[in-house]
Amino acid sequence: MTHETKPVDALSEAEARAELERLATDLARHDAAYHTHDAPVVSDADYDALKRRNLAIEARFPKLKLSESPTEKVGAPVAEGFGKITHKVAMLSLDNAFSDEDARDFVSRVKRFLSLTPFDELALTAEPKIDGLSLSLRYENGRLVSAATRGNGAVGENVTANARTISDIPEQLAGADVPEIMEVRGEVYMTKADFMALNERQAAAGKQTYVNPRNTAAGSLRQLDSKVTAERPLKFFAYAWGEVAPALPYGTQSEMVAAFGRWGFSVNPLMARVMSVDELIAHYRRIETERASLPYDIDGVVYKVDDLGLQQRLGFVSRSPRWAIAHKFPAEKAATRLTAIDIQVGRTGALTPVARLEPVTVGGVVVTNATLHNAEEIERLGVRIGDTVQVQRAGDVIPQVLGVVSSPPDAVSFTFPSTCPCNLQTPVIREETAGGVEGVVRRCSGEFACPFQRKEHLKLFVSRKAFDIEGLGEKQIEYFYDDPSLPIRAPADIFTLAERDAAEDLLKLKNRDGYGETSAQKLFDAIEARRTVALDRLIFALGIRHVGETTARTLARAYGDWQSFHEAARALAGGDAAAIEEMDALDDIGPAVVEAVGRFFGEEHNIAMVEDLVSQLTVQDAEKPSQESPVAGLTIVFTGSLERMTRDEAKAMAERLGAKAAGSVSKKTDILVAGPGAGSKLAKAEALGVRTMTEDEWFELVG
Ligand code: IVH
């Protein structure tokens, strides 16, 4: 639905010829940027859209097909040559702060969790956030034995041979205090000067130049031939660790990093240890001032709680530690022309307008698209097609349009469509809030009938956090979906491919980018390997609104097995008050989730989809985090004022011990831990005959 791109059916022969030539040049450029330089200039989705358009034009005008057509090209080799390494301790990411206020909130949150008053001192470290890629180095008895990239956080690529070529990475650690097993983690990066010198050499040799140091460092570390890596000037800063045995040698972050320095690593000289949030922010300002003159790129400042005992108590939320945060530098901005506005339909049917932009470099990355969020935002910005606009990019988030810089007389206003851009042209509706106020989001009302929504749901279904099927990702779903002769239209279809003997259909995918090497059998095997699925993954994969991976895990742990969850969800959809109350009482689950689950399981087509799917699967019962603990599997409620721990800490502790921490007392509650001042919950527990205990008794019980 690009307003400047004609439908293929409407192209004249001359237009088709010109466009095929333009597409061949663009695709060749994108191929080189992606495969050879690890520096893509367009998103995968945009790239695929170009390829599909090329195919469609060739299909309509076969005689115009160029001899060097992009469709004939086999994708460049992907880095398949690295072995995998499973991280003994997951490599996590950091939560972000974008303002001083966020930084203050972080410190307050930490203090609250630890039951400190705002006036209690808390030692923190602040250090630059290096814009490179993280690497985990494993030393056994002081010798480097392996090096792994972060990968998906759980499993990374084995890049040991390449890491050995980096002079900042010692082969042998020096020091009597080096633990027998010591995984040192940090950032691989390239300095700005080395990056520029490398580009000069490339240019002098008539070769392509690179886009930015970060992507170049990533590309260099992931070279299959370590001789190539050795020629690239990579560096490494050590700042964290993974597995350490028999024990951590020091009790603070700052002592650990100082030890890394003595053992032979480079450590960042701008790391400071401070005692207050004001000093923390002052150090942020100092690093921000020095940023431009530093020899390497940084994108923020990382704050960490210094005391490792406190870090342990704080633990993790989802994928990031509670004891650290990255305070990012403000987003970078640039101006460019907005050439078109397209409508994208998401998994939940939301219609999102996307600005197509003339390519512009913002903070080292070429930006060609930006989100416009919704119709109100377009109106608020007053943006029209043809305007020059200011765009902003911050970290990995989607670039945004900030406002109009100038508007030529021939700029065209955008009319928000009243029907879905799919072939069904389903009417678009605006949701109303509880108070009857019209919401800003426009949704296609087609739900599962809408091809865009089905496609987006399938993408979620196969994604890493859901079914995670090797060789079946977003790109492949696009292929499958856009060609109606191919056999995946709904999740269950994935699991019947082999029995329907779809191998021949799959052959059609041969030679399409990303599918060249995948044999049908390999895909069938990968699918078979996922036929047994964990309950939380299944719940997440259903794509119920408001049910993300954390909520899915909570639901899985609470209901234990598929049948219980399914029955509860169906009962809830039927308006069963006990079922509603039971789900609502779960910790971290609010009315929005309960309503969404009810609505999902109240729709006939969803029920059919789920039944077809589950009949193909073996669903594993939810994992109980710690089976040994005396409270594993029990539901605990904390009430009253606790004296030895905060409420958040108590809940986190219960969950660590395999229990479920609930917010309200019901007949499902096993134990109520009541501190002084406990009121209605204690009364209700006593009325229901629920076991109650004091905080001290709780500690006696769990040890
Ligand atoms: S600490 C448990 N410190 O940022 C988290 N990370 O968003 C341990 N990074 O994957 C990470 N500089 O690649 C830490 N001084 C620093 C860092 C840093 C860069 C990267 C790292 C990590 C990402 C998290």
Side-chain angles (χ1 to χ4, degrees), residues 36-62:
T36 319
H37 312 303
D38 240 51
V41 292
V42 288
S43 72
D44 285 357
D46 286 350
Y47 176 84
D48 289 342
L50 292 179
K51 273 226 146 158
R52 279 200 306 279
R53 183 155 174 97
N54 193 83
L55 261 177
I57 300 176
E58 285 176 352
R60 182 153 170 252
F61 299 102

PDB file of all heavy atoms in Angstrom, residues 36-62:
ATOM      1  N   THR A  36      28.436  -8.888   3.303  1.00  0.00           N
ATOM      2  CA  THR A  36      29.875  -8.675   3.283  1.00  0.00           C
ATOM      3  C   THR A  36      30.314  -7.741   4.384  1.00  0.00           C
ATOM      4  O   THR A  36      31.411  -7.821   4.880  1.00  0.00           O
ATOM      5  CB  THR A  36      30.284  -8.137   1.901  1.00  0.00           C
ATOM      6  OG1 THR A  36      29.533  -8.852   0.927  1.00  0.00           O
ATOM      7  CG2 THR A  36      31.758  -8.330   1.650  1.00  0.00           C
ATOM      8  N   HIS A  37      29.416  -6.849   4.804  1.00  0.00           N
ATOM      9  CA  HIS A  37      29.880  -5.834   5.756  1.00  0.00           C
ATOM     10  C   HIS A  37      29.173  -5.864   7.086  1.00  0.00           C
ATOM     11  O   HIS A  37      29.412  -4.991   7.915  1.00  0.00           O
ATOM     12  CB  HIS A  37      29.725  -4.450   5.130  1.00  0.00           C
ATOM     13  CG  HIS A  37      30.265  -4.395   3.744  1.00  0.00           C
ATOM     14  ND1 HIS A  37      31.568  -4.714   3.456  1.00  0.00           N
ATOM     15  CD2 HIS A  37      29.673  -4.129   2.571  1.00  0.00           C
ATOM     16  CE1 HIS A  37      31.747  -4.630   2.152  1.00  0.00           C
ATOM     17  NE2 HIS A  37      30.615  -4.286   1.583  1.00  0.00           N
ATOM     18  N   ASP A  38      28.263  -6.846   7.279  1.00  0.00           N
ATOM     19  CA  ASP A  38      27.539  -6.915   8.549  1.00  0.00           C
ATOM     20  C   ASP A  38      26.904  -5.565   8.874  1.00  0.00           C
ATOM     21  O   ASP A  38      26.878  -5.162  10.018  1.00  0.00           O
ATOM     22  CB  ASP A  38      28.507  -7.299   9.686  1.00  0.00           C
ATOM     23  CG  ASP A  38      28.068  -8.593  10.331  1.00  0.00           C
ATOM     24  OD1 ASP A  38      27.833  -9.567   9.595  1.00  0.00           O
ATOM     25  OD2 ASP A  38      27.953  -8.625  11.548  1.00  0.00           O
ATOM     26  N   ALA A  39      26.481  -4.848   7.874  1.00  0.00           N
ATOM     27  CA  ALA A  39      25.979  -3.494   8.100  1.00  0.00           C
ATOM     28  C   ALA A  39      24.758  -3.234   7.241  1.00  0.00           C
ATOM     29  O   ALA A  39      24.800  -2.459   6.301  1.00  0.00           O
ATOM     30  CB  ALA A  39      27.076  -2.488   7.776  1.00  0.00           C
ATOM     31  N   PRO A  40      23.649  -3.909   7.545  1.00  0.00           N
ATOM     32  CA  PRO A  40      22.465  -3.742   6.713  1.00  0.00           C
ATOM     33  C   PRO A  40      21.989  -2.295   6.720  1.00  0.00           C
ATOM     34  O   PRO A  40      22.068  -1.617   7.734  1.00  0.00           O
ATOM     35  CB  PRO A  40      21.434  -4.652   7.378  1.00  0.00           C
ATOM     36  CG  PRO A  40      21.941  -4.883   8.749  1.00  0.00           C
ATOM     37  CD  PRO A  40      23.420  -4.782   8.691  1.00  0.00           C
ATOM     38  N   VAL A  41      21.498  -1.818   5.575  1.00  0.00           N
ATOM     39  CA  VAL A  41      20.961  -0.458   5.525  1.00  0.00           C
ATOM     40  C   VAL A  41      19.431  -0.467   5.466  1.00  0.00           C
ATOM     41  O   VAL A  41      18.814   0.564   5.555  1.00  0.00           O
ATOM     42  CB  VAL A  41      21.529   0.350   4.336  1.00  0.00           C
ATOM     43  CG1 VAL A  41      22.995   0.635   4.530  1.00  0.00           C
ATOM     44  CG2 VAL A  41      21.311  -0.383   3.024  1.00  0.00           C
ATOM     45  N   VAL A  42      18.836  -1.643   5.285  1.00  0.00           N
ATOM     46  CA  VAL A  42      17.367  -1.727   5.357  1.00  0.00           C
ATOM     47  C   VAL A  42      16.999  -2.858   6.302  1.00  0.00           C
ATOM     48  O   VAL A  42      17.813  -3.746   6.556  1.00  0.00           O
ATOM     49  CB  VAL A  42      16.719  -2.041   3.979  1.00  0.00           C
ATOM     50  CG1 VAL A  42      16.797  -0.852   3.054  1.00  0.00           C
ATOM     51  CG2 VAL A  42      17.322  -3.275   3.338  1.00  0.00           C
ATOM     52  N   SER A  43      15.764  -2.819   6.819  1.00  0.00           N
ATOM     53  CA  SER A  43      15.326  -3.899   7.707  1.00  0.00           C
ATOM     54  C   SER A  43      15.092  -5.160   6.870  1.00  0.00           C
ATOM     55  O   SER A  43      14.892  -5.073   5.654  1.00  0.00           O
ATOM     56  CB  SER A  43      14.035  -3.502   8.410  1.00  0.00           C
ATOM     57  OG  SER A  43      12.981  -3.524   7.473  1.00  0.00           O
ATOM     58  N   ASP A  44      15.101  -6.315   7.534  1.00  0.00           N
ATOM     59  CA  ASP A  44      14.844  -7.577   6.825  1.00  0.00           C
ATOM     60  C   ASP A  44      13.500  -7.532   6.122  1.00  0.00           C
ATOM     61  O   ASP A  44      13.346  -8.001   4.995  1.00  0.00           O
ATOM     62  CB  ASP A  44      14.839  -8.742   7.815  1.00  0.00           C
ATOM     63  CG  ASP A  44      16.251  -9.104   8.253  1.00  0.00           C
ATOM     64  OD1 ASP A  44      17.207  -8.485   7.739  1.00  0.00           O
ATOM     65  OD2 ASP A  44      16.387  -9.989   9.092  1.00  0.00           O
ATOM     66  N   ALA A  45      12.512  -6.938   6.816  1.00  0.00           N
ATOM     67  CA  ALA A  45      11.162  -6.916   6.257  1.00  0.00           C
ATOM     68  C   ALA A  45      11.143  -6.095   4.965  1.00  0.00           C
ATOM     69  O   ALA A  45      10.548  -6.495   3.967  1.00  0.00           O
ATOM     70  CB  ALA A  45      10.195  -6.332   7.267  1.00  0.00           C
ATOM     71  N   ASP A  46      11.846  -4.952   4.976  1.00  0.00           N
ATOM     72  CA  ASP A  46      11.877  -4.119   3.768  1.00  0.00           C
ATOM     73  C   ASP A  46      12.607  -4.820   2.640  1.00  0.00           C
ATOM     74  O   ASP A  46      12.211  -4.761   1.476  1.00  0.00           O
ATOM     75  CB  ASP A  46      12.584  -2.794   4.051  1.00  0.00           C
ATOM     76  CG  ASP A  46      11.703  -1.885   4.871  1.00  0.00           C
ATOM     77  OD1 ASP A  46      10.514  -2.228   5.037  1.00  0.00           O
ATOM     78  OD2 ASP A  46      12.179  -0.854   5.339  1.00  0.00           O
ATOM     79  N   TYR A  47      13.685  -5.483   3.009  1.00  0.00           N
ATOM     80  CA  TYR A  47      14.467  -6.211   2.019  1.00  0.00           C
ATOM     81  C   TYR A  47      13.592  -7.288   1.363  1.00  0.00           C
ATOM     82  O   TYR A  47      13.528  -7.412   0.141  1.00  0.00           O
ATOM     83  CB  TYR A  47      15.682  -6.838   2.714  1.00  0.00           C
ATOM     84  CG  TYR A  47      16.519  -7.693   1.806  1.00  0.00           C
ATOM     85  CD1 TYR A  47      17.494  -7.145   1.001  1.00  0.00           C
ATOM     86  CD2 TYR A  47      16.318  -9.070   1.757  1.00  0.00           C
ATOM     87  CE1 TYR A  47      18.255  -7.927   0.156  1.00  0.00           C
ATOM     88  CE2 TYR A  47      17.074  -9.867   0.916  1.00  0.00           C
ATOM     89  CZ  TYR A  47      18.043  -9.288   0.114  1.00  0.00           C
ATOM     90  OH  TYR A  47      18.777 -10.076  -0.728  1.00  0.00           O
ATOM     91  N   ASP A  48      12.877  -8.025   2.209  1.00  0.00           N
ATOM     92  CA  ASP A  48      12.015  -9.078   1.685  1.00  0.00           C
ATOM     93  C   ASP A  48      10.920  -8.505   0.795  1.00  0.00           C
ATOM     94  O   ASP A  48      10.546  -9.100  -0.218  1.00  0.00           O
ATOM     95  CB  ASP A  48      11.375  -9.862   2.832  1.00  0.00           C
ATOM     96  CG  ASP A  48      12.416 -10.718   3.530  1.00  0.00           C
ATOM     97  OD1 ASP A  48      13.477 -10.951   2.921  1.00  0.00           O
ATOM     98  OD2 ASP A  48      12.171 -11.131   4.663  1.00  0.00           O
ATOM     99  N   ALA A  49      10.418  -7.334   1.178  1.00  0.00           N
ATOM    100  CA  ALA A  49       9.358  -6.719   0.377  1.00  0.00           C
ATOM    101  C   ALA A  49       9.897  -6.388  -1.022  1.00  0.00           C
ATOM    102  O   ALA A  49       9.224  -6.606  -2.024  1.00  0.00           O
ATOM    103  CB  ALA A  49       8.846  -5.470   1.073  1.00  0.00           C
ATOM    104  N   LEU A  50      11.138  -5.893  -1.070  1.00  0.00           N
ATOM    105  CA  LEU A  50      11.740  -5.590  -2.379  1.00  0.00           C
ATOM    106  C   LEU A  50      11.860  -6.863  -3.214  1.00  0.00           C
ATOM    107  O   LEU A  50      11.566  -6.884  -4.407  1.00  0.00           O
ATOM    108  CB  LEU A  50      13.140  -4.972  -2.208  1.00  0.00           C
ATOM    109  CG  LEU A  50      13.216  -3.571  -1.601  1.00  0.00           C
ATOM    110  CD1 LEU A  50      14.662  -3.110  -1.485  1.00  0.00           C
ATOM    111  CD2 LEU A  50      12.440  -2.575  -2.464  1.00  0.00           C
ATOM    112  N   LYS A  51      12.327  -7.930  -2.549  1.00  0.00           N
ATOM    113  CA  LYS A  51      12.504  -9.193  -3.278  1.00  0.00           C
ATOM    114  C   LYS A  51      11.176  -9.714  -3.813  1.00  0.00           C
ATOM    115  O   LYS A  51      11.082 -10.198  -4.934  1.00  0.00           O
ATOM    116  CB  LYS A  51      13.128 -10.249  -2.349  1.00  0.00           C
ATOM    117  CG  LYS A  51      14.645 -10.196  -2.347  1.00  0.00           C
ATOM    118  CD  LYS A  51      15.229 -11.582  -2.483  1.00  0.00           C
ATOM    119  CE  LYS A  51      16.503 -11.520  -3.277  1.00  0.00           C
ATOM    120  NZ  LYS A  51      17.385 -12.653  -3.029  1.00  0.00           N
ATOM    121  N   ARG A  52      10.152  -9.604  -2.960  1.00  0.00           N
ATOM    122  CA  ARG A  52       8.843 -10.101  -3.388  1.00  0.00           C
ATOM    123  C   ARG A  52       8.295  -9.298  -4.553  1.00  0.00           C
ATOM    124  O   ARG A  52       7.718  -9.829  -5.483  1.00  0.00           O
ATOM    125  CB  ARG A  52       7.852 -10.050  -2.209  1.00  0.00           C
ATOM    126  CG  ARG A  52       7.985 -11.223  -1.255  1.00  0.00           C
ATOM    127  CD  ARG A  52       6.734 -11.389  -0.426  1.00  0.00           C
ATOM    128  NE  ARG A  52       6.398 -10.153   0.263  1.00  0.00           N
ATOM    129  CZ  ARG A  52       6.959  -9.763   1.381  1.00  0.00           C
ATOM    130  NH1 ARG A  52       7.863 -10.511   1.947  1.00  0.00           N
ATOM    131  NH2 ARG A  52       6.614  -8.630   1.950  1.00  0.00           N
ATOM    132  N   ARG A  53       8.522  -7.979  -4.480  1.00  0.00           N
ATOM    133  CA  ARG A  53       8.021  -7.145  -5.579  1.00  0.00           C
ATOM    134  C   ARG A  53       8.751  -7.507  -6.877  1.00  0.00           C
ATOM    135  O   ARG A  53       8.156  -7.608  -7.943  1.00  0.00           O
ATOM    136  CB  ARG A  53       8.206  -5.674  -5.242  1.00  0.00           C
ATOM    137  CG  ARG A  53       7.622  -4.797  -6.319  1.00  0.00           C
ATOM    138  CD  ARG A  53       7.215  -3.426  -5.830  1.00  0.00           C
ATOM    139  NE  ARG A  53       6.806  -2.604  -6.960  1.00  0.00           N
ATOM    140  CZ  ARG A  53       5.561  -2.417  -7.344  1.00  0.00           C
ATOM    141  NH1 ARG A  53       4.585  -3.001  -6.682  1.00  0.00           N
ATOM    142  NH2 ARG A  53       5.278  -1.659  -8.384  1.00  0.00           N
ATOM    143  N   ASN A  54      10.048  -7.735  -6.776  1.00  0.00           N
ATOM    144  CA  ASN A  54      10.832  -8.129  -7.937  1.00  0.00           C
ATOM    145  C   ASN A  54      10.264  -9.408  -8.561  1.00  0.00           C
ATOM    146  O   ASN A  54      10.049  -9.490  -9.768  1.00  0.00           O
ATOM    147  CB  ASN A  54      12.286  -8.340  -7.498  1.00  0.00           C
ATOM    148  CG  ASN A  54      13.221  -8.437  -8.674  1.00  0.00           C
ATOM    149  OD1 ASN A  54      13.647  -7.431  -9.208  1.00  0.00           O
ATOM    150  ND2 ASN A  54      13.504  -9.655  -9.114  1.00  0.00           N
ATOM    151  N   LEU A  55       9.983 -10.384  -7.685  1.00  0.00           N
ATOM    152  CA  LEU A  55       9.412 -11.659  -8.144  1.00  0.00           C
ATOM    153  C   LEU A  55       8.078 -11.455  -8.841  1.00  0.00           C
ATOM    154  O   LEU A  55       7.815 -12.027  -9.903  1.00  0.00           O
ATOM    155  CB  LEU A  55       9.161 -12.554  -6.926  1.00  0.00           C
ATOM    156  CG  LEU A  55      10.171 -13.619  -6.593  1.00  0.00           C
ATOM    157  CD1 LEU A  55       9.750 -14.319  -5.304  1.00  0.00           C
ATOM    158  CD2 LEU A  55      10.239 -14.651  -7.717  1.00  0.00           C
ATOM    159  N   ALA A  56       7.240 -10.608  -8.211  1.00  0.00           N
ATOM    160  CA  ALA A  56       5.889 -10.411  -8.742  1.00  0.00           C
ATOM    161  C   ALA A  56       5.960  -9.748 -10.119  1.00  0.00           C
ATOM    162  O   ALA A  56       5.224 -10.118 -11.038  1.00  0.00           O
ATOM    163  CB  ALA A  56       5.084  -9.552  -7.772  1.00  0.00           C
ATOM    164  N   ILE A  57       6.864  -8.769 -10.278  1.00  0.00           N
ATOM    165  CA  ILE A  57       6.971  -8.095 -11.583  1.00  0.00           C
ATOM    166  C   ILE A  57       7.485  -9.087 -12.636  1.00  0.00           C
ATOM    167  O   ILE A  57       6.978  -9.158 -13.754  1.00  0.00           O
ATOM    168  CB  ILE A  57       7.888  -6.854 -11.498  1.00  0.00           C
ATOM    169  CG1 ILE A  57       7.307  -5.858 -10.485  1.00  0.00           C
ATOM    170  CG2 ILE A  57       8.030  -6.201 -12.864  1.00  0.00           C
ATOM    171  CD1 ILE A  57       8.177  -4.628 -10.239  1.00  0.00           C
ATOM    172  N   GLU A  58       8.476  -9.898 -12.231  1.00  0.00           N
ATOM    173  CA  GLU A  58       9.005 -10.889 -13.183  1.00  0.00           C
ATOM    174  C   GLU A  58       7.930 -11.893 -13.590  1.00  0.00           C
ATOM    175  O   GLU A  58       7.865 -12.329 -14.732  1.00  0.00           O
ATOM    176  CB  GLU A  58      10.190 -11.634 -12.573  1.00  0.00           C
ATOM    177  CG  GLU A  58      11.467 -10.801 -12.542  1.00  0.00           C
ATOM    178  CD  GLU A  58      12.603 -11.527 -11.849  1.00  0.00           C
ATOM    179  OE1 GLU A  58      12.377 -12.608 -11.268  1.00  0.00           O
ATOM    180  OE2 GLU A  58      13.723 -11.006 -11.884  1.00  0.00           O
ATOM    181  N   ALA A  59       7.061 -12.238 -12.628  1.00  0.00           N
ATOM    182  CA  ALA A  59       6.010 -13.209 -12.936  1.00  0.00           C
ATOM    183  C   ALA A  59       5.044 -12.624 -13.967  1.00  0.00           C
ATOM    184  O   ALA A  59       4.551 -13.324 -14.838  1.00  0.00           O
ATOM    185  CB  ALA A  59       5.267 -13.590 -11.661  1.00  0.00           C
ATOM    186  N   ARG A  60       4.804 -11.308 -13.860  1.00  0.00           N
ATOM    187  CA  ARG A  60       3.848 -10.709 -14.803  1.00  0.00           C
ATOM    188  C   ARG A  60       4.500 -10.409 -16.166  1.00  0.00           C
ATOM    189  O   ARG A  60       3.858 -10.493 -17.208  1.00  0.00           O
ATOM    190  CB  ARG A  60       3.275  -9.428 -14.186  1.00  0.00           C
ATOM    191  CG  ARG A  60       2.259  -8.820 -15.093  1.00  0.00           C
ATOM    192  CD  ARG A  60       1.179  -7.985 -14.472  1.00  0.00           C
ATOM    193  NE  ARG A  60       0.482  -7.337 -15.601  1.00  0.00           N
ATOM    194  CZ  ARG A  60       0.589  -6.057 -15.871  1.00  0.00           C
ATOM    195  NH1 ARG A  60       1.280  -5.259 -15.089  1.00  0.00           N
ATOM    196  NH2 ARG A  60      -0.037  -5.570 -16.918  1.00  0.00           N
ATOM    197  N   PHE A  61       5.786 -10.058 -16.167  1.00  0.00           N
ATOM    198  CA  PHE A  61       6.502  -9.751 -17.417  1.00  0.00           C
ATOM    199  C   PHE A  61       7.716 -10.664 -17.562  1.00  0.00           C
ATOM    200  O   PHE A  61       8.854 -10.196 -17.459  1.00  0.00           O
ATOM    201  CB  PHE A  61       6.997  -8.297 -17.414  1.00  0.00           C
ATOM    202  CG  PHE A  61       5.915  -7.255 -17.310  1.00  0.00           C
ATOM    203  CD1 PHE A  61       5.663  -6.613 -16.109  1.00  0.00           C
ATOM    204  CD2 PHE A  61       5.156  -6.907 -18.416  1.00  0.00           C
ATOM    205  CE1 PHE A  61       4.666  -5.636 -16.010  1.00  0.00           C
ATOM    206  CE2 PHE A  61       4.169  -5.932 -18.330  1.00  0.00           C
ATOM    207  CZ  PHE A  61       3.911  -5.298 -17.118  1.00  0.00           C
ATOM    208  N   PRO A  62       7.488 -11.973 -17.797  1.00  0.00           N
ATOM    209  CA  PRO A  62       8.614 -12.910 -17.794  1.00  0.00           C
ATOM    210  C   PRO A  62       9.724 -12.507 -18.774  1.00  0.00           C
ATOM    211  O   PRO A  62      10.897 -12.696 -18.492  1.00  0.00           O
ATOM    212  CB  PRO A  62       7.981 -14.243 -18.211  1.00  0.00           C
ATOM    213  CG  PRO A  62       6.514 -14.075 -18.048  1.00  0.00           C
ATOM    214  CD  PRO A  62       6.210 -12.627 -18.109  1.00  0.00           C
TER     215      PRO A  62
END
